[in-house]
Each structure stands twice: as C-alpha cells, then as structure tokens.
Amino acid sequence: MHAKDFINPMLPVLKSTDTVGEALNWMEEYRIGQLPLIHEQEYQGLISHDILLDADEDLPLLALQPEFEDAFANVNQHIFEILKIVQQHDLQAVVVLDEEQSFVGTISVQELLNQFSKNLGSQEIGAVLEIAVENRSYSLSEISRLIESNNVKIISSYYTSGTGLEDSKDILTLKLNQQDISRVMATLERFEYDIVGAYNFEEITSPDKERYDMLMKYLNL
C-alpha cells in the first residue's frame, strides 16, 4: 500500500497556460477540489477550487499563486504517511513524485480513503470493539489469543492516542469476523480489559441474555 498504488491516471494535470475556466470544468467533471499545476514534469503546487472561484474565467493559471508546493508524497511512501500529509494540510489531492522529484501522478483523497476503509475490513460483516488501554502497555498478541480462544478472529486493528489529559486513555479498535461476540466480551472483561464500545454486534436476547448475565455474575465472583 504505497503512494504509487493509489495514483489515478485519469485525473487531469494543469498547465500554466490553462485558463481558470478550464480548470473549473475539469474539477467539476472529476469531482475534485484540487488539481496539480505542473511545468515540464516539475510540481508547482496545487490549484484549489476556492481560489478559482474568485478569478476571471479567462485568466491563465500563470497569474495565480499555487498552494501546498511542499505537500507531496514519494512513490514508495506508505498509506499511513500519505494520510498524515492529508491531515496536516487538509488536502483533497496528493501529488506523487519520484526520487528525482519529478511528477508521477495524482492521488484522489476520496479514493484513498475509500480504499483504506476497505483495507480496514469495514465492508466485512462483523463486530467492532473499542478497548481502553494505557500508554501502549497492552499486548496485542495476548488480546488476540483471548479473542481467538472463542473461535473469533481479528480482521483489522488500529490504535488511537488519547488527548493527553490525566484521565484520558488510548483506544485500541478491533474489527472482528463475527457479530456474536458475547463470549469474547465476557473473556476480555474476565481478564479486566476495559471495553468502552461495541458496535455492529448481535444483541443478546432471552434466554441467551439470562445465560450471559449468569456467566458475567460468575466471572465477577
């Protein structure tokens, strides 16, 4: 999952001789709010939709000041690094350059997020668990072992740092391959893991709920 794998070759490239009107038409056609300005394979920066709206449609892009000339990805940068660039600069498009800093292509941020969502397993049927942990002191291998002891597997996981406040905790989010996770939750709570959220799971109904409540009472003895 590197930058070169997410390039959309269909996205147009702007030249300094293109007009504001032409750039606006391309952005509307491809439903993207930013496009790269390139001169002889050299990246000049991004032209944004908002800037174009304030300019005359016949004005050449040469007369405008592009933005984010220092915001780009190298061909072999990982998707996590690309997402960091997107977040830092609030981008809708990410330009990809090679080792010689020559233009290679453009990534649509919307397409990137869609692909990232698929890689996280969001399209798969299964529950999502949020577990509060402290200062990365948790063991993912131990949590995985406890979950798999109930014949459930982890499809994907990601870690979210807390706010830094005294009572804040980091959150480990797990996507599982099943919706019936009552036994998983019971096992984790038995080992004193703090489950702060559970989503897209099968509700426990009677008489299953009665058996679940009895199990939880037993585990809390």
Side-chain angles (χ1 to χ4, degrees):
M1 295 192 297
H2 299 95
K4 59 186 178 183
D5 302 319
F6 299 102
I7 291 174
N8 183 345
M10 301 301 295
L11 289 176
V13 173
L14 301 177
K15 305 184 298 294
S16 58
T17 54
D18 292 331
T19 66
V20 168
E22 289 173 327
L24 282 171
N25 288 336
W26 279 323
M27 289 182 184
E28 181 177 350
E29 179 179 351
Y30 289 90
R31 298 182 179 180
I32 193 167
Q34 294 170 329
L35 285 173
L37 182 65
I38 306 298
H39 177 67
E40 296 181 353
Q41 291 301 109
E42 183 178 341
Y43 172 54
Q44 305 293 308
L46 290 174
I47 297 294
S48 299
H49 185 268
D50 292 343
I51 293 178
L52 297 176
L53 289 177
D54 296 328
D56 186 280
E57 288 195 355
D58 295 325
L59 190 70
L61 298 181
L62 179 65
L64 301 180
Q65 179 63 45
E67 304 174 292
F68 309 115
E69 60 270 15
D70 296 324
F72 57 85
N74 294 319
V75 286
N76 292 317
Q77 278 192 280
H78 192 270
I79 185 173
F80 287 163
E81 296 178 291
I82 304 170
L83 290 172
K84 183 178 180 181
I85 295 171
V86 170
Q87 183 183 35
Q88 286 177 334
H89 301 282
D90 193 22
L91 300 179
Q92 297 184 46
V94 179
V95 167
V96 180
L97 306 181
D98 63 16
E99 290 79 2
E100 285 74 37
Q101 302 298 291
S102 295
F103 175 77
V104 177
T106 309
I107 298 172
S108 162
V109 170
Q110 185 60 55
E111 293 173 1
L112 179 70
L113 294 176
N114 289 341
Q115 185 60 48
F116 183 62
S117 175
K118 292 178 182 178
N119 292 338
L120 283 178
S122 61
Q123 306 299 318
E124 302 288 338
I125 296 176
V128 175
L129 273 183
E130 290 181 338
I131 303 173
V133 293
E134 295 182 359
N135 299 324
R136 299 183 182 270
S137 60
Y138 73 98
S139 169
L140 183 57
S141 60
E142 179 186 358
I143 294 174
S144 177
R145 179 181 61 81
L146 293 174
I147 290 174
E148 290 181 359
S149 69
N150 294 280
N151 295 318
V152 177
K153 293 187 178 297
I154 299 174
I155 296 176
S156 64
S157 65
Y158 63 94
Y159 189 94
T160 307
S161 298
T163 61
L165 299 177
E166 184 176 351
D167 59 346
S168 69
K169 292 184 178 181
D170 299 341
I171 301 296
L172 176 66
T173 302
L174 304 173
K175 177 63 182 287
L176 308 179
N177 71 335
Q178 293 186 27
Q179 288 182 289
D180 182 3
I181 57 169
S182 56
R183 292 182 179 274
V184 168
M185 294 173 66
T187 299
L188 292 173
E189 289 175 346
R190 178 185 177 187
F191 283 84
E192 299 183 347
Y193 281 98
D194 183 10
I195 299 174
V196 296
Y199 311 94
N200 197 31
F201 63 95
E202 290 183 351
E203 295 288 348
I204 304 171
T205 57
S206 295
D208 291 335
K209 188 176 189 308
E210 293 179 4
R211 290 197 291 266
Y212 176 78
D213 290 339
M214 291 177 62
L215 174 62
M216 293 306 298
K217 288 180 180 179
Y218 170 77
L219 294 176
N220 289 329
L221 290 178

